[in-house]
Amino acid sequence: MVPHRSSRPAVRRVVSLVPSLTEAVAATEPGLLVGATDWCDHPAGLGVVRIGGTKNPDTARIAALAPDLVIANEEENRAPDLGALRAAGLDVLVTEVRTLPQAFTELERVLVRGCGLARPAWLADAEDAWRDVRAAGPAVPAVVPVWRRPWMVLGRDTFAGDLLARLGVANVHAGHPERYPRIPLGELNACGAELAVLPDEPYRFTHDDGPESFPGLPCALVSGRHLTWYGPSLTEAAAVLGAALRAAGR
């Protein structure tokens, strides 16, 4: 079968403001990328112009690169920066990813309809990897910090929360009105969780930095890239995250 290809001509120059999307483009057609953020560390050794952070990109430098397309995300990038890029005459494609199915849809929109590429084999592999993922038993209530000083956790409508739910972990703050609420540590320890899930990004929780704050609670130290990134990492995320959760006894 011939892979589906967008009728839109493939663009030649892309700037990515999102680490997940940088890796997705690089894994599909690396020659398209001419610029990426300082946080875009996958794939290793990516030789493109660095244009600042996701929250403070150098919009003038991006414009000087004359990209055919800038790819961004409504959560990771600020509206004023995206507005400045559009005001400079650039085409900006903004994604929204809050669930696993939405991630697959948006990746296809970026790569196929946005960049004019053939649908990559790794995207089909990622869909296959998650298709039969089912929780083995009752969901385990968990608290999922993403920052400390102050403590912040996953709240409602998050991509990471959706992945965890598919793996049998119920985020106890999934009903919070905020997506990333700040909650004092005392409340986190009194919320009824039976597990703490500690990713290594955006805050780098480690064996020596994080578990001590949840005495008596099993802690699963997980890969932040596999929990929060949507791209080629999804091909192995279910297995990687599942192994980390099992290591914590869940």
Side-chain angles (χ1 to χ4, degrees):
M1 178 182 294
V2 177
H4 172 70
R5 183 178 290 274
S6 169
S7 59
R8 172 179 175 171
V11 300
R12 297 180 180 277
R13 299 175 64 81
V14 173
V15 169
S16 172
L17 304 183
V18 185
S20 295
L21 298 179
T22 297
E23 185 178 22
V25 174
T28 308
E29 189 65 49
L32 290 183
L33 286 168
V34 295
T37 75
D38 299 340
W39 301 108
C40 295
D41 54 7
H42 281 76
L46 184 65
V48 299
V49 174
R50 300 296 174 162
I51 49 76
T54 57
K55 304 296 184 186
N56 58 344
D58 186 334
T59 56
R61 192 171 197 184
I62 294 171
L65 289 172
D68 302 308
L69 182 68
V70 177
I71 49 179
N73 176 263
E74 51 89 28
E75 176 180 293
E76 296 195 50
N77 308 119
R78 301 185 312 139
D81 295 322
L82 302 182
L85 294 173
R86 291 191 178 100
L90 301 181
D91 186 5
V92 180
L93 188 161
V94 182
T95 59
E96 178 186 288
V97 177
R98 301 189 182 187
T99 67
L100 179 62
Q102 195 175 24
F104 292 141
T105 299
E106 289 290 71
L107 284 166
E108 180 165 341
R109 183 166 74 97
V110 168
L111 298 171
V112 179
R113 296 195 292 278
C115 295
L117 301 172
R119 196 176 195 271
W122 65 258
L123 185 52
D125 291 341
E127 291 172 325
D128 289 343
W130 282 93
R131 183 167 288 113
D132 296 323
V133 172
R134 300 288 186 278
V140 178
V143 59
V144 191
V146 293
W147 201 258
R148 67 182 302 177
R149 305 184 192 94
W151 286 94
M152 298 176 66
V153 299
L154 292 186
R156 64 172 180 86
D157 298 333
T158 66
F159 172 70
D162 187 45
L163 293 195
L164 289 173
R166 295 168 187 274
L167 294 167
V169 176
N171 175 17
V172 297
H173 295 100
H176 196 283
E178 298 178 25
R179 297 186 63 221
Y180 299 97
R182 297 185 181 188
I183 299 180
L185 182 58
E187 293 183 24
L188 295 183
N189 274 299
C191 69
E194 298 176 11
L195 174 71
V197 178
L198 305 175
D200 60 11
E201 64 174 79
Y203 185 90
R204 186 172 180 80
F205 289 105
T206 67
H207 288 283
D208 300 322
D209 185 356
E212 79 288 346
S213 298
F214 301 93
L217 200 63
C219 292
L221 292 161
V222 304
S223 162
R225 174 170 167 262
H226 291 97
L227 181 62
T228 64
W229 288 35
Y230 40 92
S233 59
L234 285 172
T235 61
E236 59 186 18
V240 171
L241 295 172
L245 294 170
R246 289 190 296 273
R250 297 294 174 177

